[in-house]
Amino acid sequence: MTISIADSINCVGLPIIVTTSYPYLNFLIDTGANLNSIFDFVYEGLPDFFTPLESKQSQYGIEGNEMSYSMAKATIEFNDTKAETAFSVMNADRVVRRLQEDNGFQLHGILGTQFLKDNKWIIDFGKLEIIT
């Protein structure tokens, strides 16, 4: 099965995919991120969808600052393929607001290389699609 990223790249310049079951969430596919992230406004707005985890995750921000995040897990679905995955819960209000102002869409989270690897997803940049 394939998921097209052509439209999102052509529209906003980013590989965005949308879950195909409720809640419908927009995720950036980020091969530069090793972890998945869900933004705190989504986590707080969907308390029955996420299961909090006791662990915390540390990661470095773009400026090199180490930050600690709470963790949660959820099952997300893309075209009848379900994947349970862990997310770091982070505040990204400024980025989300800017993307919404500039491009007219709201981003809910990031799927990183660990998600791609765990689910054996392959990005074909020539065809602008993800092979699942």
Side-chain angles (χ1 to χ4, degrees), residues 36-80:
N36 306 315
S37 298
I38 194 72
F39 301 141
D40 58 0
F41 74 93
V42 178
Y43 176 76
E44 292 163 2
L46 297 167
D48 296 333
F49 185 69
F50 295 96
T51 303
L53 300 174
E54 291 184 25
S55 62
K56 291 220 180 257
Q57 181 69 46
S58 291
Q59 51 187 335
Y60 292 102
I62 194 125
E63 292 92 21
N65 303 329
E66 185 175 11
M67 296 174 268
S68 181
Y69 299 100
S70 298
M71 298 294 293
K73 69 177 179 177
T75 301
I76 53 178
E77 186 173 339
F78 299 97
N79 298 337
D80 299 325

Side-chain angles (χ1 to χ4, degrees), residues 17-127:
I17 60 172
V18 181
T19 57
T20 55
S21 65
Y22 180 83
Y24 301 100
L25 301 173
N26 299 323
F27 284 99
L28 170 69
I29 300 298
D30 187 351
T31 59
N34 58 338
L35 301 173
N36 306 315
S37 298
I38 194 72
F39 301 141
D40 58 0
F41 74 93
V42 178
Y43 176 76
E44 292 163 2
L46 297 167
D48 296 333
F49 185 69
F50 295 96
T51 303
L53 300 174
E54 291 184 25
S55 62
K56 291 220 180 257
Q57 181 69 46
S58 291
Q59 51 187 335
Y60 292 102
I62 194 125
E63 292 92 21
N65 303 329
E66 185 175 11
M67 296 174 268
S68 181
Y69 299 100
S70 298
M71 298 294 293
K73 69 177 179 177
T75 301
I76 53 178
E77 186 173 339
F78 299 97
N79 298 337
D80 299 325
T81 301
K82 292 182 180 184
E84 183 177 86
T85 191
F87 295 95
S88 58
V89 180
M90 66 170 37
N91 181 298
D93 290 347
R94 288 181 20 204
V95 171
V96 170
R97 186 174 25 260
R98 184 68 187 261
L99 285 171
Q100 192 164 355
E101 289 170 359
D102 291 352
N103 299 306
F105 79 96
Q106 189 172 65
L107 188 64
H108 300 112
I110 298 169
L111 297 177
T113 54
Q114 191 63 50
F115 180 87
L116 298 172
K117 197 168 102 178
D118 288 348
N119 292 285
K120 297 175 178 48
W121 284 19
I122 299 166
I123 301 175
D124 183 334
F125 287 104
K127 295 180 180 177

